[in-house]
């Protein structure tokens, strides 16, 4: 396997990382407790001001090209920035590179018409609006992306959409969604039956049913997951993204870089959680002059977490490099590997940290409970871990049968 380029000594990234680290430490950490456990909507004005500050410092939207208002970073370069931003729940949002918007930006940049770009993509890139992505349905297993009931029927020059979606992340407050809907239910190839269509959310045929409680946390605005409904929802035929029947292929295009974004964010969370663990272990006294950090079991847990974080980082950077050089299709085994491996590391690191914090770890006095609630889904969304493991194992076995 080819070696990873010296990304840590890349001049551009080496200059940028301390600036992002300082911004997160100085501006985001002080807001976290109140924004995460309080009202996120109430913090939108101050978060908007921080977005303006990020722009003025030349740090906004690092994933976009310079022409689009970003920094023009490669996927590999952005991966290292994403790790830093992942250390705060507010990081990616403030710098306008948060999911699901970043995936929608990449998708529309490549496949949307110029009219759709002007009306929706460019304001999204500037951080003036948010978006969401509607694919998963409560009536069907999300692990089977071609089993969908939502239909979009072409009537004249309009698509009429009917369907029920959920876990449409950040639907609350979003300006538009990209919905995956079946447009050709009788196509002989099941992977060519669905299409992606852009729907503005002021459409009378769209309804946000509720924000779904995640282990008791309903959330709001960007920090929410919506259950939504399309009922005789009419949009122009020109709102089609790419070609009719290309929905599954577009979803696959979206997922490769998307998993790099997610995995590096998870690694950033792990880094922050390890920091919390170490500080707690050094200050929590068991007896006078005897702190948790003196316990060998605590030491072992910290060492294991640090090793898993390092292994995860190298694995994800290697995958980002392969995607850049050969494309997502050529790196599909690596993409599956990082998805299930890093999601499991994430949960192990968080769980160890909660144990180190004792009773404090299960309260909302730290960010641990927030991450434990909301990141448990890492092992489920974008394809459950079991699917990725099975796919990877089959390919490995096949490779040996050919020898």
């Amino acid at each position: 396997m080819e070696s990873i380029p010296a990304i840590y000594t890349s001049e551009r990234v080496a200059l940028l990382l301390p600036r992002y680290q300082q911004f997160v430490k100085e501006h985001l950490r002080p807001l976290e407790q109140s924004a995460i456990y309080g009202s996120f909507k109430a913090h939108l004005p101050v978060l908007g001001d921080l977005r303006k500050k990020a722009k003025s410092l030349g740090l906004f939207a690092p994933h976009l090209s310079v022409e689009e208002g970003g920094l023009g970073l490669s996927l590999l370069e952005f991966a290292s920035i994403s790790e830093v931003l992942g250390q705060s729940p507010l990081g990616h949002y403030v710098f306008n590179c948060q999911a699901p918007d970043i995936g929608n930006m990449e998708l529309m940049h490549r496949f949307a018409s110029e009219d759709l770009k002007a009306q929706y993509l460019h304001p999204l890139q500037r951080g003036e609006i948010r978006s969401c992505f509607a694919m998963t349905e409560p009536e069907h297993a999300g692990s089977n992306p071609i089993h969908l009931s939502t239909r979009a029927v072409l009537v004249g020059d309009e698509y009429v959409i009917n369907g029920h979606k959920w876990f449409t992340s950040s639907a609350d407050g979003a300006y538009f969604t990209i919905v995956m809907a079946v447009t050709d239910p009788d196509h002989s190839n099941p992977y060519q039956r669905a299409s992606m269509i852009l729907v503005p959310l002021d459409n009378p045929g769209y309804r946000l049913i509720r924000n779904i409680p995640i282990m008791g946390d309903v959330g709001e605005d960007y920090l929410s997951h919506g259950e939504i409904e399309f009922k005789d929802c009419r949009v122009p035929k020109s709102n089609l993204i790419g070609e009719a029947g290309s929905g599954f292929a577009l979803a696959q295009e979206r997922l490769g870089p998307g998993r790099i974004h997610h995995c590096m964010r998870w690694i950033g969370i792990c880094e922050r959680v390890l920091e919390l663990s170490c500080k707690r272990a050094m200050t929590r006294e068991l007896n006078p002059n005897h702190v948790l950090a003196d316990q060998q079991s605590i030491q072992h847990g910290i060492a294991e977490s640090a090793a898993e974080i390092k292994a995860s980082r190298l694995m994800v950077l290697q995958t980002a490099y392969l995607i850049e050089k050969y494309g997502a299709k050529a790196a599909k085994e690596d993409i599956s590997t990082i998805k299930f491996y890093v999601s499991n590391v994430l949960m192990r690191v968080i769980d160890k940290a909660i144990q180190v914090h004792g009773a404090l770890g299960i309260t909302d006095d730290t960010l641990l409970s927030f991450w434990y609630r909301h990141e448990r889904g890492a092992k489920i969304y974008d394809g459950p871990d079991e699917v990725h493991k099975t796919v990877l194992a089959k390919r490995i076995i096949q490779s040996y049968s050919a020898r």
Side-chain angles (χ1 to χ4, degrees), residues 103-104 107 111 133-135 145-148 150 152 159 165 178-184 187 189-198 239-255:
N104 286 347
L107 189 72
F111 301 105
F133 184 71
M135 181 171 177
I146 61 171
H147 191 26
L148 300 172
T150 300
Y159 278 111
K165 302 284 188 179
I178 295 176
V179 59
M180 180 85 108
V182 175
T183 50
D184 188 357
H187 198 289
N189 185 342
Y191 294 95
Q192 294 181 20
R193 292 174 182 168
S195 303
M196 288 193 185
I197 302 169
L198 188 148
N239 281 22
L240 181 71
I241 306 290
E243 300 294 328
S246 66
F248 181 80
L250 296 185
Q252 292 301 108
E253 289 286 339
R254 199 176 185 274
L255 282 175

Side-chain angles (χ1 to χ4, degrees), residues 108-109 111-123 126 129 175-176 198 236-241:
M108 294 184 69
H109 173 79
F111 301 105
S113 68
E114 292 305 315
D115 286 344
L116 288 180
K117 287 179 181 179
Q119 189 172 357
Y120 298 100
L121 174 60
H122 298 161
R126 294 191 295 266
I129 59 175
Y175 189 74
F176 72 90
L198 188 148
K237 180 183 176 182
S238 57
N239 281 22
L240 181 71
I241 306 290

